[in-house]
């Protein structure tokens, strides 16, 4: 039962967009594990396949070859309904653009996925998250009445409330100033350290990557390097050396 050790795994993942002369090989055989309770940052040049990898891992995009597993579940065998249920129950998302519903309050946004699924909200857990994210006084505000950082903290709370196997963030701090970025990254770090969650983010920012336990570097649809215990300096250095190799 390998599923006890990793939250998500890609094996020889290939993703080709389009066909014939216009085909783009966005992923050219990616194998990577995301251990439970681990915080991973994915980095690499624009167009290297970071979003594609994340979307394939999260079941938001089909794969052309290889396997994706979330825990013990191979996504390949799933029907559309099973895939929808898996995304809803076992995966959390935090997007660059927050993706909150503008007409709903913060608390309504946070519990929306559970409400849609007809699931009971664990009140104690909700209170824990909301307190830890510093949102208690903002729960009745709509997104337009919140700062960018507060909106992204609401999105983090929404991702956490269902206790998913893994939380994916595609440039979750891409639209935030450095103060708000720090807040959101601290929360993702705390989700791992205090709540034993598994987090994977895509980022271009060495400072954001330094919050992670390891960094996986992509180039041209392949994993080209990995760095454990990253610091801002070590990430920058590795980015530079990867550029000169190319
Ligand atoms: N829907 C699509 N149709 C065709 N090609 C696509 C599609 N989505 C992505 N691609 C191509 O696949 C490659 C990888 O794209 P991807 O979005 O994964 O890159 P990325 O590393 O996330 O880049 P960025 O840092 O700019 O977000 C690129 O060459 C891109 O043009
Ligand atoms: Mg991208």
């Amino acid at each position: 039962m390998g599923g006890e050790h990793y939250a998500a795994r890609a094996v020889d993942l290939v993703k080709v967009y389009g066909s014939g002369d216009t085909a783009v090989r966005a992923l050219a055989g990616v194998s990577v594990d995301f251990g439970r309770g681990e915080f991973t940052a994915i980095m690499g040049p624009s167009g290297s396949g970071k979003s594609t990898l994340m979307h394939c891992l999260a079941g938001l995009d089909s794969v052309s070859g290889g396997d994706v597993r979330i825990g013990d579940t191979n996504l390949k065998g799933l029907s559309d309904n099973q895939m929808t249920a898996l995304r809803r129950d076992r995966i959390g998302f935090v997007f660059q653009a927050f993706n909150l519903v503008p007409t709903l309050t913060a608390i309504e946004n946070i519990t929306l996925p559970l409400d849609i699924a007809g699931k009971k909200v664990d009140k104690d857990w909700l209170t824990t998250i909301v307190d830890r994210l510093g949102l208690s006084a903002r729960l009745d505000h709509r997104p337009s009445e919140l700062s960018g950082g507060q909106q992204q903290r609401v999105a983090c709370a929404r991702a956490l409330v269902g206790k998913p196997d893994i939380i994916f963030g595609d440039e979750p701090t891409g639209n935030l100033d450095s103060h708000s970025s720090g807040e959101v990254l601290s929360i993702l770090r705390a989700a791992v350290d205090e709540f034993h969650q598994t987090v994977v983010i895509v980022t271009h920012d060495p400072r954001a990557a330094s919050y992670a336990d390891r960094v996986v570097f992509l180039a041209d649809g392949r994993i080209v390097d990995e760095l454990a215990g990253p610091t801002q300096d070590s990430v920058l250095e590795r980015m530079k050396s990867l550029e000169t190799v190319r």
Side-chain angles (χ1 to χ4, degrees), residues 233-245:
D233 286 345
S234 65
V235 171
L236 264 174
E237 205 157 291
R238 199 62 69 95
M239 285 167 81
K240 271 188 215 148
S241 72
L242 288 173
E243 269 166 32
T244 49
V245 168

Side-chain angles (χ1 to χ4, degrees), residues 44-62:
S46 181
S48 58
K50 303 180 299 296
S51 294
T52 302
L53 174 60
M54 182 157 282
H55 291 170
C56 288
L57 285 166
L60 290 170
D61 208 344
S62 64

Side-chain angles (χ1 to χ4, degrees), residues 175-198:
N175 276 332
L176 299 178
D177 62 31
S178 90
H179 175 76
S180 296
S181 292
E183 281 179 357
V184 167
L185 291 162
S186 305
I187 279 154
L188 293 174
R189 184 69 250 174
V192 171
D193 293 340
E194 298 169 28
F195 305 145
H196 313 293
Q197 292 283 325
T198 306

Side-chain angles (χ1 to χ4, degrees), residues 37-230:
E38 192 177 46
F39 186 166
T40 305
I42 300 174
M43 302 190 83
S46 181
S48 58
K50 303 180 299 296
S51 294
T52 302
L53 174 60
M54 182 157 282
H55 291 170
C56 288
L57 285 166
L60 290 170
D61 208 344
S62 64
V63 306
S64 310
D67 283 310
V68 173
R69 289 171 188 271
I70 298 294
D72 281 338
T73 309
N74 189 330
L75 300 196
K76 196 175 266 172
L78 300 186
S79 67
D80 285 354
N81 284 343
Q82 287 172 321
M83 188 73 104
T84 302
L86 176 132
R87 275 201 303 264
R88 187 189 65 208
D89 298 338
R90 297 174 56 189
I91 295 175
F93 297 101
V94 183
F95 296 99
Q96 183 171 0
F98 315 150
N99 287 12
L100 301 177
V101 180
T103 53
L104 299 182
T105 63
I107 189 69
E108 288 166 346
N109 267 286
I110 292 168
T111 59
L112 184 65
L114 293 176
D115 293 340
I116 289 174
K119 295 220 163 121
K120 256 222 191 115
V121 176
D122 178 339
K123 288 272 162 56
D124 288 346
W125 176 234
L126 181 62
T127 305
T128 302
I129 296 171
V130 162
D131 284 351
R132 181 63 186 77
L133 272 58
L135 288 169
S136 310
R138 293 284 183 280
L139 292 179
D140 293 329
H141 293 232
R142 290 179 211 289
S144 62
E145 300 159 347
L146 297 170
S147 71
Q150 289 165 344
Q151 289 182 60
Q152 196 61 313
R153 281 187 271 149
V154 170
C156 289
R158 181 183 56 188
L160 282 164
V161 73
K163 298 185 183 167
D165 285 5
I166 188 161
I167 295 174
F168 291 108
D170 194 353
E171 304 193 40
T173 59
N175 276 332
L176 299 178
D177 62 31
S178 90
H179 175 76
S180 296
S181 292
E183 281 179 357
V184 167
L185 291 162
S186 305
I187 279 154
L188 293 174
R189 184 69 250 174
V192 171
D193 293 340
E194 298 169 28
F195 305 145
H196 313 293
Q197 292 283 325
T198 306
V199 173
V200 182
I201 64 166
V202 169
T203 184
H204 289 280
D205 174 10
R207 188 178 74 117
S210 74
Y211 281 76
D213 297 308
R214 69 168 177 156
V215 182
V216 170
F217 294 91
L218 278 185
D220 297 329
R222 295 174 196 279
I223 292 178
V224 292
D225 210 346
E226 226 186 282
L227 184 60

